[in-house]
Amino acid sequence: MAFYYEEPSHTFGEYLLVPGYSSDQCIPANVRLTTPLVKFRQGEEPSLSLNIPMVSAIMQAVSDDHMAVALAREGGISFIYGSQTVEDQAQMVKRVKSFKSGFVSSDSNIRPTTTLGEVIALKEQTGHSTMAVTEDGTATGKLLGIVTSRDYRVTRMSLDTPVSNFMTPFEKLIYADADTSLTQANDIIWERKLNMLPLVDEHQRLRYMVFRKDYTEDKEYEHQFIDADKRYRVGAGINTRDYADRVPALLDAGVDALCIDSSEGYSEWQKIALDYIHKKFGPEGTSQIEIFWVGGDSRSTVDRIHGKGSATQGDWTKDSNGNPVPYPLFADPQMAPTLGIPVKGFPTLVLIGPGNKWVECRGEVETNDPDFKEFKKLLALFMTEKDKPEALRFTGVTDLYQGETQVMKLAYSTVAPVTSVKWEAPAGIKLTKVNDTEYTVTAETLGTYEISATVTNKNGDAKESITVTVSDPISAFPFSSPMDTKDKLDKGWRSLDLDGDGLGFDSYMGKGLMARLGLSFKDPNTKVGAENSEDCLISFGKFYPTEFNNGNFSGDNINAKNELLSAPLVIPADAKAPTFSCYITTLFRANNPDKLKVMVAELNGTAVELLAPQSAEGSGWTLISADLSAYKGKTILLSLVPVVNGVSAIQVDQLRVTMDGSTAVDTPTLNVETVLYPNPAKEFITVQTREGSTIELFTLDGARVAVSKAISGTTSIAVSQLPAGTYMARITDKDGNNVSRPVVVQ
């Protein structure tokens, strides 16, 4: 076989390779990420400079006041979305500016008349156990007291107990003046061994709270973007319609920067708005605003901006008198190709570091996490030898049950070698070291606890904490979990992310699929779960959808490893026929679909297979069940483990543990039909049953929260004071026959 080469041949001797020059000053420590936010004259310092070159897109799904605080904390700035009323946007700006570095504006505020049930519901909603009791229930009202989780015990108090009966009153509080500095507040906290110090003005109105952990965080966020009063910087998006009303309101709220948000920068509306803003708020007006403009797409070429050609709106570089406009105009449609950034969707968010190193971070900021932990991981990519440890994060079970032991892991980023790793936990939680980054956590006493870890290198230390709760094991049956609460697992089940990729069992309608992709059913009556329920759980195995376009999913190839773990279940020794059951189906039909196996372990024991891998039959939901009779008189944990075979995903719904072998939603034993509605309920549940029957409402851990006597055929029970979640209603007739029904309170 002969080959003919028509081009000339070359040898290495015909080429000279000239290496590029790098000086001894070309080191990471000499790289600054500081980036001017506004224009400035050569030789002068810009009036606003970001500490990291990062801003957030002006989108409702991205940039609200929570994003603004989180991004300013890291050194960037967020532009709060303008697709809302002027008043609402101004309030968001005010909320950001109310944050002082190390100072917290209270977001969990109650009145003295608030009930214990409402306190529990608010704690569930915000995740905060410390609540300010103010006269009007606002964050700046007259401070009357403080409520923490130490002030009450749910098992020993009625849910309708008013806060005034168990709060710590103002006269017993340690507090400070509103003008107290952060250092002074921290000194008081340490001297008086406090977790929180309220700051009040001369009229006893609450201004700020300073927490022990917030002082530490303030020192950790050394690059935070703050003004002269130590308030976070914040921007806002405006449009070209109501700018005459919106701009003054945002300036009064304290906004630091404004950005005209438009899909088309080259339009007459833009010019009109810019001229108005510059005249009224620029150098000739109040001097509050300095305008800079980056605009354009492929159509807004330099020639068109100068008024050349047929497709132009005149020379935008000159005003009506022929003088140069006082703000820059330029188009840069080639930014993405120049940086080499693939534009996969909008907004395109990119973090750019030293040496033109960049990473796309759209997914990391599209999150409900107020601390933006995933975004912090990306910032750690730009660490140097001179940085202290960063991006500390815990992974593990946070909903614990008395007597059980679970694994907690710690991850962090550092360039300099670590000199020490220290874990701490209060009494009630036992920590047993496996290694520096892994401990076993044993739940000894009921309550809420904070586990912390401090990582130290030669440059300093970083501390992170995680809150865990310890509850009683499940001992009331039937134990039913319909999983209909969006983005939240029912009490008694935990999703374990075994490989640390951030993926586990999520709700189908929530972040697991529908809400994450911005999808919704057109038919509001469509139900997605088994037995026509509102929602279900989903676990992805080898394919994770990130976009949905033209009827098709696109996404990332993954290899997820996770499981769904139950709370400890106390199986009675005299149980008739203890049984576990649930429904399964698959998403993305495949020749070899994903399956689900069920494991069982005695408390703190080794898990064994209870049910071999099961697959859904046909296109609907399949009921699977397993006999638990071998575990009578024992405390066990169940775990549901996906068996990944392809690109399909496994869906799980209507999990139940019963003691009589039943797998149906209802197990009526009364001679007459018992009807309970509405379900889910918000204000009341109505029960139609036999007169003289006793109606009881229990939490899933067995605590009775309501009881009523059926004096007629129809009885109503108020549930508005109860925290959202799943309960069991037990109806018992005069002969002792009873029936249990699950009740979902929203």
Side-chain angles (χ1 to χ4, degrees), residues 457-679:
N457 65 15
K458 66 179 183 180
N459 305 311
D461 56 51
K463 185 176 182 179
E464 183 62 83
S465 60
I466 189 170
T467 300
V468 299
T469 60
V470 181
S471 306
D472 283 317
I474 304 298
S475 58
F477 301 97
F479 171 48
S480 299
S481 304
M483 299 296 177
D484 285 343
T485 304
K486 182 178 175 181
D487 288 341
K488 184 179 178 182
L489 273 65
D490 290 351
K491 179 70 174 177
W493 291 94
R494 293 81 57 86
S495 177
L496 303 187
D497 176 18
L498 300 179
D499 54 0
D501 60 0
L503 304 178
F505 279 86
D506 292 318
S507 73
Y508 181 94
M509 294 299 296
K511 64 181 181 180
L513 186 67
M514 302 297 285
R516 180 169 54 82
L517 299 183
L519 303 175
S520 62
F521 290 115
K522 295 181 180 179
D523 182 3
N525 298 316
T526 300
K527 311 295 185 182
V528 300
E531 299 180 331
N532 209 32
S533 63
E534 297 288 340
D535 203 355
C536 64
L537 300 183
I538 186 169
S539 173
F540 296 96
K542 290 188 176 182
F543 174 71
Y544 187 70
T546 58
E547 294 181 86
F548 183 78
N549 294 306
N550 300 320
N552 295 312
F553 289 99
S554 58
D556 301 324
N557 293 324
I558 60 173
N559 191 21
K561 184 180 180 182
N562 54 72
E563 68 180 68
L564 190 64
L565 180 69
S566 77
L569 305 169
V570 183
I571 309 298
D574 60 352
K576 181 181 178 181
T579 302
F580 166 75
S581 65
C582 70
Y583 283 87
I584 63 172
T585 189
T586 54
L587 183 71
F588 309 134
R589 302 298 170 193
N591 294 329
N592 191 16
D594 291 356
K595 299 180 179 181
L596 187 77
K597 67 178 177 181
V598 182
M599 309 291 290
V600 62
E602 295 186 32
L603 184 63
N604 300 325
T606 302
V608 297
E609 189 173 270
L610 178 67
L611 199 62
Q614 302 290 302
S615 61
E617 299 177 0
S619 59
W621 288 92
T622 298
L623 177 66
I624 64 173
S625 62
D627 184 10
L628 300 175
S629 297
Y631 299 93
K632 292 181 181 180
K634 299 179 179 180
T635 299
I636 64 171
L637 289 89
L638 298 172
S639 58
L640 279 59
V641 182
V643 178
V644 179
N645 293 316
V647 297
S648 62
I650 194 76
Q651 294 171 254
V652 183
D653 199 17
Q654 300 292 351
L655 296 90
R656 304 185 188 97
V657 179
T658 63
M659 295 298 110
D660 59 0
S662 62
T663 58
V665 175
D666 301 322
T667 56
T669 59
L670 295 179
N671 294 328
V672 296
E673 180 64 19
T674 298
V675 179
L676 188 152
Y677 64 92
N679 196 8

Side-chain angles (χ1 to χ4, degrees), residues 243-297:
Y243 52 84
D245 298 321
R246 192 173 293 270
V247 172
L250 293 173
L251 290 173
D252 290 341
V255 75
D256 295 288
L258 298 173
C259 181
I260 295 181
D261 181 23
S262 175
S263 59
E264 171 57 88
Y266 189 58
S267 75
E268 198 69 24
W269 295 108
Q270 299 276 9
K271 189 174 188 336
I272 294 172
L274 285 167
D275 287 343
Y276 171 85
I277 294 170
H278 183 266
K279 183 176 181 180
K280 189 171 180 65
F281 303 104
E284 299 175 4
T286 62
S287 296
Q288 291 175 278
I289 294 180
E290 183 177 7
I291 296 175
F292 68 101
W293 187 29
V294 179
D297 53 24

